[in-house]
Amino acid sequence: MKAKLSLLIAGFVLAGCSTTGTSMDTVDNWQKYGFDQAVAGKVMIEQNEFTAEDYALYEEGYVVGQKVYCSQDPYKVGMVGKIYNGICDELSDDFQTQYELGRLEYLAMQAKMADN
C-alpha cells in the first residue's frame, strides 16, 4: 500500500506544480485541477462554478485525487498538524477517528513544547 502511494505521489510531483493559489480563470486542465485540489485535501467545489463539461473533468480528476489523499495514514495527517476537511468520510469509516487521534497527539506535543 505504501509503495502504491509513493508511486502515485511521485507521479503527481512529476506531473507538475500544485495548483494552490491558481485562479479558476486560468485553469487549462480541469481534470488535473480537480486531482490537485483533492490531493491537497480540499473540499470539492460546487458544480455551479463550472460549465457542465469542465465540471465533469474536474470531478473525474477530483475522485482520483481523493483516493490518493484518503490512502494515506490519517493518524500521520493529524500528527503533523494538517487540517482535515472531511473528504474521506464517504470512503473510510475510521479516517476521521484516526485523524483526530493523531491531531490530539500533535496538540499535546505543541502544548508540551510551549511549556518548555
PDB file of all heavy atoms in Angstrom, residues 1-2 5-6 9 66-82 84 88 92 94-103:
ATOM      1  N   MET A   1       0.825  -1.182   0.000  1.00  0.00           N
ATOM      2  CA  MET A   1       0.000   0.000   0.000  1.00  0.00           C
ATOM      3  C   MET A   1       0.877   1.257   0.000  1.00  0.00           C
ATOM      4  O   MET A   1       0.625   2.172  -0.746  1.00  0.00           O
ATOM      5  CB  MET A   1      -0.925  -0.025   1.220  1.00  0.00           C
ATOM      6  CG  MET A   1      -1.715   1.244   1.389  1.00  0.00           C
ATOM      7  SD  MET A   1      -3.298   1.179   0.597  1.00  0.00           S
ATOM      8  CE  MET A   1      -4.338   1.426   1.988  1.00  0.00           C
ATOM      9  N   LYS A   2       1.922   1.265   0.846  1.00  0.00           N
ATOM     10  CA  LYS A   2       2.805   2.426   0.892  1.00  0.00           C
ATOM     11  C   LYS A   2       3.556   2.604  -0.423  1.00  0.00           C
ATOM     12  O   LYS A   2       3.799   3.723  -0.849  1.00  0.00           O
ATOM     13  CB  LYS A   2       3.780   2.315   2.065  1.00  0.00           C
ATOM     14  CG  LYS A   2       3.118   2.531   3.403  1.00  0.00           C
ATOM     15  CD  LYS A   2       4.120   2.506   4.520  1.00  0.00           C
ATOM     16  CE  LYS A   2       3.418   2.688   5.852  1.00  0.00           C
ATOM     17  NZ  LYS A   2       4.339   2.794   6.958  1.00  0.00           N
ATOM     18  N   LEU A   5       1.183   4.238  -2.848  1.00  0.00           N
ATOM     19  CA  LEU A   5       1.023   5.655  -2.511  1.00  0.00           C
ATOM     20  C   LEU A   5       2.256   6.440  -2.921  1.00  0.00           C
ATOM     21  O   LEU A   5       2.140   7.526  -3.497  1.00  0.00           O
ATOM     22  CB  LEU A   5       0.758   5.836  -1.016  1.00  0.00           C
ATOM     23  CG  LEU A   5       0.586   7.267  -0.532  1.00  0.00           C
ATOM     24  CD1 LEU A   5      -0.575   7.947  -1.266  1.00  0.00           C
ATOM     25  CD2 LEU A   5       0.352   7.293   0.955  1.00  0.00           C
ATOM     26  N   SER A   6       3.429   5.886  -2.686  1.00  0.00           N
ATOM     27  CA  SER A   6       4.667   6.560  -3.071  1.00  0.00           C
ATOM     28  C   SER A   6       4.731   6.759  -4.575  1.00  0.00           C
ATOM     29  O   SER A   6       5.136   7.822  -5.056  1.00  0.00           O
ATOM     30  CB  SER A   6       5.883   5.761  -2.605  1.00  0.00           C
ATOM     31  OG  SER A   6       5.932   5.712  -1.214  1.00  0.00           O
ATOM     32  N   ILE A   9       2.218   9.505  -5.549  1.00  0.00           N
ATOM     33  CA  ILE A   9       2.719  10.829  -5.175  1.00  0.00           C
ATOM     34  C   ILE A   9       3.862  11.245  -6.084  1.00  0.00           C
ATOM     35  O   ILE A   9       3.924  12.377  -6.538  1.00  0.00           O
ATOM     36  CB  ILE A   9       3.131  10.863  -3.690  1.00  0.00           C
ATOM     37  CG1 ILE A   9       1.874  10.744  -2.815  1.00  0.00           C
ATOM     38  CG2 ILE A   9       3.899  12.130  -3.358  1.00  0.00           C
ATOM     39  CD1 ILE A   9       2.132  10.591  -1.352  1.00  0.00           C
ATOM     40  N   GLN A  66      -8.829  12.177  -4.653  1.00  0.00           N
ATOM     41  CA  GLN A  66      -9.428  11.867  -3.357  1.00  0.00           C
ATOM     42  C   GLN A  66      -8.979  10.483  -2.883  1.00  0.00           C
ATOM     43  O   GLN A  66      -8.648  10.297  -1.716  1.00  0.00           O
ATOM     44  CB  GLN A  66     -10.948  11.932  -3.477  1.00  0.00           C
ATOM     45  CG  GLN A  66     -11.692  11.674  -2.189  1.00  0.00           C
ATOM     46  CD  GLN A  66     -13.191  11.697  -2.394  1.00  0.00           C
ATOM     47  OE1 GLN A  66     -13.686  11.361  -3.479  1.00  0.00           O
ATOM     48  NE2 GLN A  66     -13.919  12.096  -1.384  1.00  0.00           N
ATOM     49  N   LYS A  67      -8.934   9.535  -3.799  1.00  0.00           N
ATOM     50  CA  LYS A  67      -8.482   8.186  -3.439  1.00  0.00           C
ATOM     51  C   LYS A  67      -7.021   8.205  -3.003  1.00  0.00           C
ATOM     52  O   LYS A  67      -6.632   7.508  -2.068  1.00  0.00           O
ATOM     53  CB  LYS A  67      -8.691   7.223  -4.604  1.00  0.00           C
ATOM     54  CG  LYS A  67     -10.155   6.904  -4.831  1.00  0.00           C
ATOM     55  CD  LYS A  67     -10.356   6.024  -6.042  1.00  0.00           C
ATOM     56  CE  LYS A  67     -11.839   5.834  -6.297  1.00  0.00           C
ATOM     57  NZ  LYS A  67     -12.098   5.139  -7.554  1.00  0.00           N
ATOM     58  N   VAL A  68      -6.214   9.006  -3.673  1.00  0.00           N
ATOM     59  CA  VAL A  68      -4.804   9.140  -3.281  1.00  0.00           C
ATOM     60  C   VAL A  68      -4.710   9.754  -1.886  1.00  0.00           C
ATOM     61  O   VAL A  68      -4.021   9.234  -1.006  1.00  0.00           O
ATOM     62  CB  VAL A  68      -4.017  10.005  -4.297  1.00  0.00           C
ATOM     63  CG1 VAL A  68      -2.620  10.321  -3.782  1.00  0.00           C
ATOM     64  CG2 VAL A  68      -3.946   9.311  -5.643  1.00  0.00           C
ATOM     65  N   TYR A  69      -5.420  10.853  -1.677  1.00  0.00           N
ATOM     66  CA  TYR A  69      -5.389  11.525  -0.368  1.00  0.00           C
ATOM     67  C   TYR A  69      -5.859  10.586   0.741  1.00  0.00           C
ATOM     68  O   TYR A  69      -5.235  10.509   1.802  1.00  0.00           O
ATOM     69  CB  TYR A  69      -6.271  12.777  -0.406  1.00  0.00           C
ATOM     70  CG  TYR A  69      -6.302  13.517   0.912  1.00  0.00           C
ATOM     71  CD1 TYR A  69      -5.336  14.475   1.206  1.00  0.00           C
ATOM     72  CD2 TYR A  69      -7.275  13.251   1.863  1.00  0.00           C
ATOM     73  CE1 TYR A  69      -5.345  15.147   2.414  1.00  0.00           C
ATOM     74  CE2 TYR A  69      -7.297  13.917   3.072  1.00  0.00           C
ATOM     75  CZ  TYR A  69      -6.328  14.868   3.347  1.00  0.00           C
ATOM     76  OH  TYR A  69      -6.336  15.527   4.564  1.00  0.00           O
ATOM     77  N   CYS A  70      -6.931   9.872   0.498  1.00  0.00           N
ATOM     78  CA  CYS A  70      -7.535   9.018   1.523  1.00  0.00           C
ATOM     79  C   CYS A  70      -6.769   7.721   1.753  1.00  0.00           C
ATOM     80  O   CYS A  70      -7.066   6.989   2.690  1.00  0.00           O
ATOM     81  CB  CYS A  70      -8.991   8.727   1.174  1.00  0.00           C
ATOM     82  SG  CYS A  70     -10.024  10.218   1.136  1.00  0.00           S
ATOM     83  N   SER A  71      -5.782   7.418   0.914  1.00  0.00           N
ATOM     84  CA  SER A  71      -4.988   6.205   1.103  1.00  0.00           C
ATOM     85  C   SER A  71      -3.827   6.435   2.073  1.00  0.00           C
ATOM     86  O   SER A  71      -3.168   5.482   2.474  1.00  0.00           O
ATOM     87  CB  SER A  71      -4.462   5.683  -0.235  1.00  0.00           C
ATOM     88  OG  SER A  71      -3.500   6.566  -0.771  1.00  0.00           O
ATOM     89  N   GLN A  72      -3.598   7.684   2.465  1.00  0.00           N
ATOM     90  CA  GLN A  72      -2.520   7.946   3.414  1.00  0.00           C
ATOM     91  C   GLN A  72      -2.973   7.615   4.837  1.00  0.00           C
ATOM     92  O   GLN A  72      -4.156   7.459   5.106  1.00  0.00           O
ATOM     93  CB  GLN A  72      -2.058   9.392   3.307  1.00  0.00           C
ATOM     94  CG  GLN A  72      -3.094  10.430   3.687  1.00  0.00           C
ATOM     95  CD  GLN A  72      -2.619  11.831   3.414  1.00  0.00           C
ATOM     96  OE1 GLN A  72      -1.480  12.160   3.681  1.00  0.00           O
ATOM     97  NE2 GLN A  72      -3.490  12.650   2.877  1.00  0.00           N
ATOM     98  N   ASP A  73      -2.032   7.509   5.743  1.00  0.00           N
ATOM     99  CA  ASP A  73      -2.318   7.194   7.140  1.00  0.00           C
ATOM    100  C   ASP A  73      -2.943   8.423   7.815  1.00  0.00           C
ATOM    101  O   ASP A  73      -2.273   9.442   7.988  1.00  0.00           O
ATOM    102  CB  ASP A  73      -1.020   6.808   7.837  1.00  0.00           C
ATOM    103  CG  ASP A  73      -1.207   6.386   9.279  1.00  0.00           C
ATOM    104  OD1 ASP A  73      -2.246   6.719   9.891  1.00  0.00           O
ATOM    105  OD2 ASP A  73      -0.298   5.721   9.811  1.00  0.00           O
ATOM    106  N   PRO A  74      -4.225   8.352   8.198  1.00  0.00           N
ATOM    107  CA  PRO A  74      -4.889   9.512   8.779  1.00  0.00           C
ATOM    108  C   PRO A  74      -4.284   9.944  10.112  1.00  0.00           C
ATOM    109  O   PRO A  74      -4.283  11.133  10.448  1.00  0.00           O
ATOM    110  CB  PRO A  74      -6.342   9.057   8.945  1.00  0.00           C
ATOM    111  CG  PRO A  74      -6.299   7.574   8.914  1.00  0.00           C
ATOM    112  CD  PRO A  74      -5.111   7.199   8.092  1.00  0.00           C
ATOM    113  N   TYR A  75      -3.751   8.994  10.861  1.00  0.00           N
ATOM    114  CA  TYR A  75      -3.104   9.329  12.125  1.00  0.00           C
ATOM    115  C   TYR A  75      -1.916  10.263  11.880  1.00  0.00           C
ATOM    116  O   TYR A  75      -1.737  11.265  12.565  1.00  0.00           O
ATOM    117  CB  TYR A  75      -2.647   8.054  12.843  1.00  0.00           C
ATOM    118  CG  TYR A  75      -2.067   8.298  14.203  1.00  0.00           C
ATOM    119  CD1 TYR A  75      -2.890   8.430  15.316  1.00  0.00           C
ATOM    120  CD2 TYR A  75      -0.694   8.395  14.391  1.00  0.00           C
ATOM    121  CE1 TYR A  75      -2.347   8.667  16.578  1.00  0.00           C
ATOM    122  CE2 TYR A  75      -0.139   8.624  15.633  1.00  0.00           C
ATOM    123  CZ  TYR A  75      -0.975   8.759  16.733  1.00  0.00           C
ATOM    124  OH  TYR A  75      -0.436   8.993  17.972  1.00  0.00           O
ATOM    125  N   LYS A  76      -1.139   9.942  10.838  1.00  0.00           N
ATOM    126  CA  LYS A  76       0.022  10.779  10.499  1.00  0.00           C
ATOM    127  C   LYS A  76      -0.404  12.155  10.003  1.00  0.00           C
ATOM    128  O   LYS A  76       0.274  13.138  10.259  1.00  0.00           O
ATOM    129  CB  LYS A  76       0.898  10.085   9.456  1.00  0.00           C
ATOM    130  CG  LYS A  76       1.643   8.891  10.004  1.00  0.00           C
ATOM    131  CD  LYS A  76       2.509   8.240   8.946  1.00  0.00           C
ATOM    132  CE  LYS A  76       3.216   7.021   9.510  1.00  0.00           C
ATOM    133  NZ  LYS A  76       4.008   6.341   8.475  1.00  0.00           N
ATOM    134  N   VAL A  77      -1.526  12.222   9.298  1.00  0.00           N
ATOM    135  CA  VAL A  77      -2.047  13.526   8.845  1.00  0.00           C
ATOM    136  C   VAL A  77      -2.300  14.409  10.054  1.00  0.00           C
ATOM    137  O   VAL A  77      -1.935  15.585  10.080  1.00  0.00           O
ATOM    138  CB  VAL A  77      -3.335  13.355   8.001  1.00  0.00           C
ATOM    139  CG1 VAL A  77      -3.949  14.710   7.656  1.00  0.00           C
ATOM    140  CG2 VAL A  77      -3.054  12.572   6.732  1.00  0.00           C
ATOM    141  N   GLY A  78      -2.924  13.843  11.076  1.00  0.00           N
ATOM    142  CA  GLY A  78      -3.173  14.591  12.307  1.00  0.00           C
ATOM    143  C   GLY A  78      -1.903  14.903  13.075  1.00  0.00           C
ATOM    144  O   GLY A  78      -1.744  15.993  13.630  1.00  0.00           O
ATOM    145  N   MET A  79      -0.975  13.951  13.100  1.00  0.00           N
ATOM    146  CA  MET A  79       0.283  14.116  13.848  1.00  0.00           C
ATOM    147  C   MET A  79       1.150  15.257  13.327  1.00  0.00           C
ATOM    148  O   MET A  79       1.913  15.843  14.087  1.00  0.00           O
ATOM    149  CB  MET A  79       1.108  12.827  13.788  1.00  0.00           C
ATOM    150  CG  MET A  79       0.717  11.788  14.790  1.00  0.00           C
ATOM    151  SD  MET A  79       1.215  12.208  16.459  1.00  0.00           S
ATOM    152  CE  MET A  79       2.980  12.257  16.302  1.00  0.00           C
ATOM    153  N   VAL A  80       1.058  15.560  12.055  1.00  0.00           N
ATOM    154  CA  VAL A  80       1.883  16.633  11.510  1.00  0.00           C
ATOM    155  C   VAL A  80       1.148  17.973  11.514  1.00  0.00           C
ATOM    156  O   VAL A  80       1.668  18.964  11.022  1.00  0.00           O
ATOM    157  CB  VAL A  80       2.419  16.312  10.097  1.00  0.00           C
ATOM    158  CG1 VAL A  80       3.335  15.100  10.135  1.00  0.00           C
ATOM    159  CG2 VAL A  80       1.302  16.118   9.100  1.00  0.00           C
ATOM    160  N   GLY A  81      -0.059  17.990  12.067  1.00  0.00           N
ATOM    161  CA  GLY A  81      -0.787  19.249  12.221  1.00  0.00           C
ATOM    162  C   GLY A  81      -1.582  19.709  11.018  1.00  0.00           C
ATOM    163  O   GLY A  81      -2.044  20.834  10.965  1.00  0.00           O
ATOM    164  N   LYS A  82      -1.761  18.820  10.036  1.00  0.00           N
ATOM    165  CA  LYS A  82      -2.551  19.199   8.864  1.00  0.00           C
ATOM    166  C   LYS A  82      -4.028  19.258   9.227  1.00  0.00           C
ATOM    167  O   LYS A  82      -4.492  18.550  10.117  1.00  0.00           O
ATOM    168  CB  LYS A  82      -2.350  18.204   7.721  1.00  0.00           C
ATOM    169  CG  LYS A  82      -0.973  18.264   7.106  1.00  0.00           C
ATOM    170  CD  LYS A  82      -0.881  17.325   5.924  1.00  0.00           C
ATOM    171  CE  LYS A  82       0.503  17.361   5.308  1.00  0.00           C
ATOM    172  NZ  LYS A  82       0.615  16.414   4.194  1.00  0.00           N
ATOM    173  N   TYR A  84      -7.884  18.512   8.377  1.00  0.00           N
ATOM    174  CA  TYR A  84      -8.665  17.535   7.619  1.00  0.00           C
ATOM    175  C   TYR A  84     -10.050  18.112   7.372  1.00  0.00           C
ATOM    176  O   TYR A  84     -10.744  18.519   8.295  1.00  0.00           O
ATOM    177  CB  TYR A  84      -8.757  16.216   8.397  1.00  0.00           C
ATOM    178  CG  TYR A  84      -9.701  15.222   7.784  1.00  0.00           C
ATOM    179  CD1 TYR A  84      -9.492  14.746   6.495  1.00  0.00           C
ATOM    180  CD2 TYR A  84     -10.809  14.763   8.485  1.00  0.00           C
ATOM    181  CE1 TYR A  84     -10.363  13.833   5.920  1.00  0.00           C
ATOM    182  CE2 TYR A  84     -11.678  13.847   7.916  1.00  0.00           C
ATOM    183  CZ  TYR A  84     -11.454  13.397   6.644  1.00  0.00           C
ATOM    184  OH  TYR A  84     -12.314  12.498   6.078  1.00  0.00           O
ATOM    185  N   CYS A  88     -12.683  12.271   3.174  1.00  0.00           N
ATOM    186  CA  CYS A  88     -12.589  10.805   3.150  1.00  0.00           C
ATOM    187  C   CYS A  88     -13.742  10.141   3.890  1.00  0.00           C
ATOM    188  O   CYS A  88     -13.803   8.912   3.949  1.00  0.00           O
ATOM    189  CB  CYS A  88     -11.270  10.352   3.771  1.00  0.00           C
ATOM    190  SG  CYS A  88      -9.826  10.997   2.933  1.00  0.00           S
ATOM    191  N   SER A  92     -14.024   6.064   3.938  1.00  0.00           N
ATOM    192  CA  SER A  92     -13.417   5.365   5.064  1.00  0.00           C
ATOM    193  C   SER A  92     -14.233   5.596   6.328  1.00  0.00           C
ATOM    194  O   SER A  92     -14.523   6.745   6.682  1.00  0.00           O
ATOM    195  CB  SER A  92     -11.986   5.869   5.270  1.00  0.00           C
ATOM    196  OG  SER A  92     -11.437   5.351   6.462  1.00  0.00           O
ATOM    197  N   ASP A  94     -13.214   5.041   9.370  1.00  0.00           N
ATOM    198  CA  ASP A  94     -12.440   5.475  10.531  1.00  0.00           C
ATOM    199  C   ASP A  94     -11.370   6.536  10.237  1.00  0.00           C
ATOM    200  O   ASP A  94     -10.559   6.840  11.102  1.00  0.00           O
ATOM    201  CB  ASP A  94     -11.820   4.277  11.231  1.00  0.00           C
ATOM    202  CG  ASP A  94     -10.714   3.609  10.431  1.00  0.00           C
ATOM    203  OD1 ASP A  94     -10.686   3.780   9.202  1.00  0.00           O
ATOM    204  OD2 ASP A  94      -9.884   2.925  11.048  1.00  0.00           O
ATOM    205  N   PHE A  95     -11.359   7.111   9.046  1.00  0.00           N
ATOM    206  CA  PHE A  95     -10.353   8.125   8.726  1.00  0.00           C
ATOM    207  C   PHE A  95     -10.432   9.276   9.727  1.00  0.00           C
ATOM    208  O   PHE A  95      -9.425   9.691  10.300  1.00  0.00           O
ATOM    209  CB  PHE A  95     -10.537   8.654   7.300  1.00  0.00           C
ATOM    210  CG  PHE A  95      -9.335   9.406   6.773  1.00  0.00           C
ATOM    211  CD1 PHE A  95      -8.423   8.776   5.952  1.00  0.00           C
ATOM    212  CD2 PHE A  95      -9.127  10.740   7.095  1.00  0.00           C
ATOM    213  CE1 PHE A  95      -7.309   9.453   5.453  1.00  0.00           C
ATOM    214  CE2 PHE A  95      -8.022  11.435   6.613  1.00  0.00           C
ATOM    215  CZ  PHE A  95      -7.107  10.781   5.792  1.00  0.00           C
ATOM    216  N   GLN A  96     -11.633   9.785   9.954  1.00  0.00           N
ATOM    217  CA  GLN A  96     -11.835  10.914  10.870  1.00  0.00           C
ATOM    218  C   GLN A  96     -11.349  10.565  12.278  1.00  0.00           C
ATOM    219  O   GLN A  96     -10.657  11.348  12.906  1.00  0.00           O
ATOM    220  CB  GLN A  96     -13.319  11.302  10.902  1.00  0.00           C
ATOM    221  CG  GLN A  96     -13.654  12.400  11.894  1.00  0.00           C
ATOM    222  CD  GLN A  96     -13.312  13.784  11.392  1.00  0.00           C
ATOM    223  OE1 GLN A  96     -13.477  14.067  10.212  1.00  0.00           O
ATOM    224  NE2 GLN A  96     -12.840  14.635  12.258  1.00  0.00           N
ATOM    225  N   THR A  97     -11.696   9.372  12.762  1.00  0.00           N
ATOM    226  CA  THR A  97     -11.303   8.958  14.112  1.00  0.00           C
ATOM    227  C   THR A  97      -9.792   8.871  14.241  1.00  0.00           C
ATOM    228  O   THR A  97      -9.212   9.393  15.206  1.00  0.00           O
ATOM    229  CB  THR A  97     -11.936   7.586  14.455  1.00  0.00           C
ATOM    230  OG1 THR A  97     -13.359   7.699  14.343  1.00  0.00           O
ATOM    231  CG2 THR A  97     -11.551   7.131  15.845  1.00  0.00           C
ATOM    232  N   GLN A  98      -9.149   8.225  13.273  1.00  0.00           N
ATOM    233  CA  GLN A  98      -7.691   8.089  13.317  1.00  0.00           C
ATOM    234  C   GLN A  98      -7.009   9.454  13.189  1.00  0.00           C
ATOM    235  O   GLN A  98      -5.999   9.720  13.844  1.00  0.00           O
ATOM    236  CB  GLN A  98      -7.212   7.133  12.229  1.00  0.00           C
ATOM    237  CG  GLN A  98      -7.645   5.708  12.444  1.00  0.00           C
ATOM    238  CD  GLN A  98      -7.141   5.156  13.774  1.00  0.00           C
ATOM    239  OE1 GLN A  98      -5.967   5.297  14.119  1.00  0.00           O
ATOM    240  NE2 GLN A  98      -8.031   4.545  14.531  1.00  0.00           N
ATOM    241  N   TYR A  99      -7.564  10.313  12.334  1.00  0.00           N
ATOM    242  CA  TYR A  99      -7.037  11.670  12.201  1.00  0.00           C
ATOM    243  C   TYR A  99      -7.118  12.399  13.549  1.00  0.00           C
ATOM    244  O   TYR A  99      -6.153  13.040  13.970  1.00  0.00           O
ATOM    245  CB  TYR A  99      -7.806  12.460  11.135  1.00  0.00           C
ATOM    246  CG  TYR A  99      -7.531  13.938  11.209  1.00  0.00           C
ATOM    247  CD1 TYR A  99      -6.365  14.466  10.675  1.00  0.00           C
ATOM    248  CD2 TYR A  99      -8.416  14.801  11.858  1.00  0.00           C
ATOM    249  CE1 TYR A  99      -6.087  15.825  10.780  1.00  0.00           C
ATOM    250  CE2 TYR A  99      -8.144  16.150  11.955  1.00  0.00           C
ATOM    251  CZ  TYR A  99      -6.993  16.665  11.417  1.00  0.00           C
ATOM    252  OH  TYR A  99      -6.707  18.009  11.530  1.00  0.00           O
ATOM    253  N   GLU A 100      -8.262  12.316  14.195  1.00  0.00           N
ATOM    254  CA  GLU A 100      -8.453  13.007  15.482  1.00  0.00           C
ATOM    255  C   GLU A 100      -7.470  12.506  16.534  1.00  0.00           C
ATOM    256  O   GLU A 100      -6.959  13.303  17.329  1.00  0.00           O
ATOM    257  CB  GLU A 100      -9.892  12.837  15.979  1.00  0.00           C
ATOM    258  CG  GLU A 100     -10.919  13.571  15.153  1.00  0.00           C
ATOM    259  CD  GLU A 100     -10.778  15.089  15.184  1.00  0.00           C
ATOM    260  OE1 GLU A 100     -10.215  15.639  16.148  1.00  0.00           O
ATOM    261  OE2 GLU A 100     -11.234  15.730  14.221  1.00  0.00           O
ATOM    262  N   LEU A 101      -7.202  11.202  16.547  1.00  0.00           N
ATOM    263  CA  LEU A 101      -6.213  10.670  17.488  1.00  0.00           C
ATOM    264  C   LEU A 101      -4.828  11.261  17.220  1.00  0.00           C
ATOM    265  O   LEU A 101      -4.116  11.659  18.150  1.00  0.00           O
ATOM    266  CB  LEU A 101      -6.170   9.141  17.404  1.00  0.00           C
ATOM    267  CG  LEU A 101      -7.408   8.406  17.927  1.00  0.00           C
ATOM    268  CD1 LEU A 101      -7.322   6.923  17.597  1.00  0.00           C
ATOM    269  CD2 LEU A 101      -7.568   8.629  19.423  1.00  0.00           C
ATOM    270  N   GLY A 102      -4.451  11.319  15.959  1.00  0.00           N
ATOM    271  CA  GLY A 102      -3.169  11.930  15.599  1.00  0.00           C
ATOM    272  C   GLY A 102      -3.149  13.414  15.928  1.00  0.00           C
ATOM    273  O   GLY A 102      -2.146  13.952  16.395  1.00  0.00           O
ATOM    274  N   ARG A 103      -4.254  14.088  15.672  1.00  0.00           N
ATOM    275  CA  ARG A 103      -4.359  15.527  15.952  1.00  0.00           C
ATOM    276  C   ARG A 103      -4.222  15.797  17.452  1.00  0.00           C
ATOM    277  O   ARG A 103      -3.566  16.762  17.860  1.00  0.00           O
ATOM    278  CB  ARG A 103      -5.698  16.046  15.427  1.00  0.00           C
ATOM    279  CG  ARG A 103      -5.937  17.502  15.640  1.00  0.00           C
ATOM    280  CD  ARG A 103      -5.228  18.312  14.609  1.00  0.00           C
ATOM    281  NE  ARG A 103      -5.581  19.715  14.800  1.00  0.00           N
ATOM    282  CZ  ARG A 103      -4.872  20.710  14.377  1.00  0.00           C
ATOM    283  NH1 ARG A 103      -3.770  20.489  13.692  1.00  0.00           N
ATOM    284  NH2 ARG A 103      -5.232  21.933  14.600  1.00  0.00           N
TER     285      ARG A 103
END
